[in-house]
Amino acid sequence: MQRLAFCSLSLCTLLATGTACAQTSVTLFGVMDASISRYSVRSESWDAGPARSVRQSTWALSPSGNLASRIGIRATEDLGGGLAAGIWLEAPVTNDTGGGALNFGRRSTVSLSGRLGELRLGRDHTPSFLNDWAFDPFTSNGVGLNLIAVVNSNLATARALATQTTGSLTDRLLGGGLSAGTDNYLRASNTIGYHLPAGLGGVYGQAMYAFAENSSQRGRYAGARLGWAGGPTDVAVAYGESTLGNAGASAEKIKSLNLGGSYDFGSAKVLGEWSDVRNERHDAATLASVSDRYQGLLAGITIPVGVHMVRASYSRVQFRSGQGTGDSSVNKLALGYVHNLSKRTALYTTISRISVGNGQNNPGIMGATPLVVSSPIIMPQPSYVTTGGMRPAGALGFDMGLRMMF
């Protein structure tokens, strides 16, 4: 990381006359991660005809197999009396192609922090997502990322497409500034957030509200997270609500509740999470109230041995249809290895296997692939066959790559 300490010319002029100059530090940071990856999905027949199976696969050079590729700038200014101001600008990097316009969609915040905590304004991670990340051995990256994250991303994407049918695909998926239903699972825009201060006996937490900035309240988010970390133990609970509409039959929310924890034995660290996500909306034909549920479990372990790290996880999501049309489920096993060449650079490899049960009941959401979003519209990848009596059956994922932090 590159750090600079400076004062503006005007401030230093004041210093020369006897007035103190506030200290400002600026940090340039980033991650570059590239992997040779293979994604493969298998579809199978479920109708009364002869048994059929179709597999589609592709090799890819992909970013973010171990950590998300990014570049960012952080700056803090000591205002005295324990008070500090800060900015954080963080942009995704598509280092596999070198393309894409620079944007700070990962994070763009300005904050004021002190003894009472931190007030943060801008675009940031949602509190309800952080347990899906913090208690995943693969930190929600690469083909090993947990199914709770994949299914939640698929749900947000599917409902964003279903509830906004006009405009360009970008507008429908991202809702302007990445703030609509698609994006409020992972991050939210137009937010005001509060973070508890350190020194509360291990208690930590945050709350967030995102302004919709429209009459339908599409893109509004409200959520909070509260946890305790002491010694080898870390546990946290989080809740969030994302609004996709509030007008009569178009009223719809995605509500997420999860509880995660970890315990570090020294020789190994075990992690786990329970998740319950509800999509509350109205049936398009009957206008009856519908509450679909996605119940998830995650169990994982990391084993450090010198410069080596072994990671493994099992995750499962069960779909409970609010319309009585039948349930589906998806299970995933992931195994990974990291060889740290230094504190900043590592080689890694990960393999994963996904199995889908009754995939015809909800193929768009429960048809999980090894990527964080299963839609080829958003992330180029093989897609399941879901027409002609076919349904998602399973998938395989493989990453082998190099990651460097700076």
Side-chain angles (χ1 to χ4, degrees):
M1 297 181 182
Q2 302 295 319
R3 293 182 175 85
L4 302 171
F6 63 90
C7 292
S8 69
L9 180 60
S10 59
L11 285 176
C12 290
T13 301
L14 289 174
L15 179 61
T17 64
T19 304
C21 178
Q23 184 73 20
T24 302
S25 65
V26 179
T27 301
L28 175 68
F29 67 95
V31 175
M32 292 292 280
D33 184 325
S35 69
I36 300 170
S37 302
R38 182 169 175 81
Y39 313 124
S40 178
V41 300
R42 181 175 61 86
S43 309
E44 66 180 13
S45 58
W46 65 281
D47 58 13
R52 306 179 304 282
S53 179
V54 176
R55 183 177 294 277
Q56 299 187 58
S57 305
T58 188
W59 286 95
L61 183 67
S62 58
S64 311
N66 178 260
L67 291 176
S69 293
R70 73 198 79 166
I71 188 167
I73 301 170
R74 297 193 297 264
T76 60
E77 181 181 17
D78 185 355
L79 301 175
L83 193 65
I87 64 169
W88 188 306
L89 296 171
E90 186 173 324
V93 175
T94 54
N95 50 283
D96 53 336
T97 65
L102 181 67
N103 71 84
F104 296 106
R106 288 185 56 84
R107 179 173 167 182
S108 55
T109 60
V110 60
S111 64
L112 196 63
S113 59
R115 291 186 294 270
L116 298 180
E118 179 186 1
L119 180 67
R120 189 181 295 178
L121 306 174
R123 175 169 170 77
D124 205 355
H125 280 112
T126 62
S128 49
F129 162 76
L130 290 178
N131 281 348
D132 299 346
W133 165 81
F135 302 111
D136 180 356
F138 296 90
T139 60
S140 297
N141 283 291
V143 299
L145 84 165
N146 68 84
L147 284 175
I148 295 173
V150 177
V151 170
N152 284 348
S153 295
N154 289 350
L155 172 63
T157 299
R159 297 314 304 160
L161 287 171
T163 55
Q164 185 169 325
T165 57
T166 60
S168 68
L169 179 62
T170 299
D171 291 337
R172 293 166 62 196
L173 287 174
L174 306 181
L178 300 172
S179 62
T182 303
D183 201 56
N184 279 355
Y185 161 62
L186 180 61
R187 297 179 178 88
S189 297
N190 310 312
T191 75
I192 177 170
Y194 168 73
H195 294 247
L196 289 174
L200 298 179
V203 175
Y204 61 88
Q206 66 184 103
M208 173 187 281
Y209 181 82
F211 297 99
E213 299 187 348
N214 60 71
S215 59
S216 71
Q217 298 302 300
R218 181 182 179 87
R220 182 176 63 185
Y221 172 88
R225 182 174 184 245
L226 184 65
W228 177 79
T233 305
D234 187 2
V235 61
V237 61
Y239 178 78
E241 288 189 7
S242 178
T243 301
L244 287 92
N246 69 343
S250 299
E252 181 169 350
K253 288 186 176 182
I254 297 176
K255 301 180 178 181
S256 174
L257 174 66
N258 53 53
L259 173 65
S262 65
Y263 190 89
D264 194 342
F265 291 94
S267 59
K269 183 178 182 179
V270 294
L271 309 94
E273 184 190 1
W274 168 86
S275 170
D276 185 86
V277 177
R278 301 192 183 199
N279 177 210
E280 297 184 351
R281 53 191 176 84
H282 293 86
D283 179 78
T286 66
L287 301 183
S289 296
V290 175
S291 181
D292 290 340
R293 299 183 65 181
Y294 299 83
Q295 297 174 307
L297 291 172
L298 168 65
I301 188 171
T302 60
I303 305 173
V305 183
V307 299
H308 313 283
M309 171 76 76
V310 176
R311 307 185 293 178
S313 70
Y314 167 77
S315 53
R316 172 181 172 84
V317 175
Q318 178 77 47
F319 168 61
R320 307 288 186 186
S321 174
Q323 297 171 288
T325 55
D327 301 337
S328 57
S329 63
V330 57
N331 299 269
K332 182 173 186 178
L333 286 170
L335 179 65
Y337 167 72
V338 180
H339 178 73
N340 293 293
L341 300 173
S342 70
K343 290 184 178 181
R344 302 181 184 276
T345 304
L347 297 168
Y348 64 88
T349 186
T350 307
I351 57 173
S352 64
R353 180 181 182 275
I354 296 171
S355 61
V356 183
N358 295 325
Q360 75 278 7
N361 292 327
N362 195 340
I365 298 172
M366 300 299 288
T369 65
L371 296 177
V372 68
V373 178
S374 301
S375 172
I377 298 175
I378 300 175
M379 291 186 171
Q381 59 186 290
S383 58
Y384 291 107
V385 179
T386 58
T387 58
M390 303 293 287
R391 64 182 178 184
L396 297 172
F398 170 77
D399 286 332
M400 181 174 65
L402 171 65
R403 177 265 297 160
M404 180 181 177
M405 301 182 294
F406 64 93

